[in-house]
Amino acid sequence: MSSIKGPLVGAIPDAVAASRRLHPWPVRVMHWTNAVAMVVLIGSGWGIYDDSVIVHGLYFPKAIRLGSWAAESLLWHFAAMWLLVANGGAYLVYGVATGRLRERLLPIRPRDVVQTLRDTLRLKLAHDDLTTYNAVQKILYIVAILAGISQVVSGLAIWKPVQFSGLVALLGGFQGARFVHFAGMTVLAGFIAIHVVLALLVPRTLWAMLTGGPVRRPALAAAAREATR
């Protein structure tokens, strides 16, 4: 048997040191904080919406609204808004700085999207490897991030229409901004619903977000591959 010599000997301990959980603790804290903020924002947003509906005839039941009337819903909405902006911003900065967003969400290949859709229709989606998202999951996460950003932008236009008059005009006027905000809420509510259903169908994903999930050793794996060549 051949022995491993040279720089690789020192690389193995370094690789072990580079081991990390699938979901490091900052990611878990920010994930659950974002979840709470979005649920509060959606529930309070329904209360605000019912005071001045956009889609004629569409109202949200009082049982699922947060706030007994529009002014109370607004207080909840603003409190959660600042939490989401601060925490969501920290999540994006962390994801870009650590390379996590690129690693988890890219690349997205058209053939992978087609294959994942075929597997979904055949109910053959695999969940063995929690460390990898399929193409559709990647797209859903990117759409959710973009929807969150659109909520902040359109929310600013609705909150301060005079100060952000240029932004209001860009969104098609005040009612246009409201419609964009409503559409973004619909996307995020749908994303959360799908997210919850998948977590219930595959409980290991929920447990991983609570405990950190499996340990990943990317550097060690690379060193082992080099050693076997």
Side-chain angles (χ1 to χ4, degrees), residues 8-57:
L8 189 57
V9 174
I12 296 297
D14 293 338
V16 174
S19 301
R20 57 190 174 92
R21 292 281 184 181
L22 173 63
H23 303 304
W25 70 264
V27 171
R28 302 200 301 274
V29 170
M30 289 185 287
H31 171 274
W32 292 112
T33 303
N34 270 342
V36 171
M38 283 197 289
V39 169
V40 173
L41 280 168
I42 291 172
S44 59
W46 288 341
I48 299 167
Y49 167 90
D50 277 3
D51 190 60
S52 178
V53 301
I54 298 174
V55 181
H56 181 70

Side-chain angles (χ1 to χ4, degrees), residues 5 47 50 55 73 83-84 91 94 107 109 124 130 137 143 154 157 163 173 191 206 211 217-218 220 225 227:
K5 298 180 181 180
D50 277 3
V55 181
S73 296
L83 178 61
L84 181 69
Y91 179 83
Y94 178 90
R109 302 180 181 88
K124 292 183 178 181
L130 297 182
Q137 284 177 304
V143 168
S154 58
Q163 292 85 341
F191 173 80
L206 177 61
T211 64
R217 297 183 175 87
L220 181 58
R225 284 195 298 269

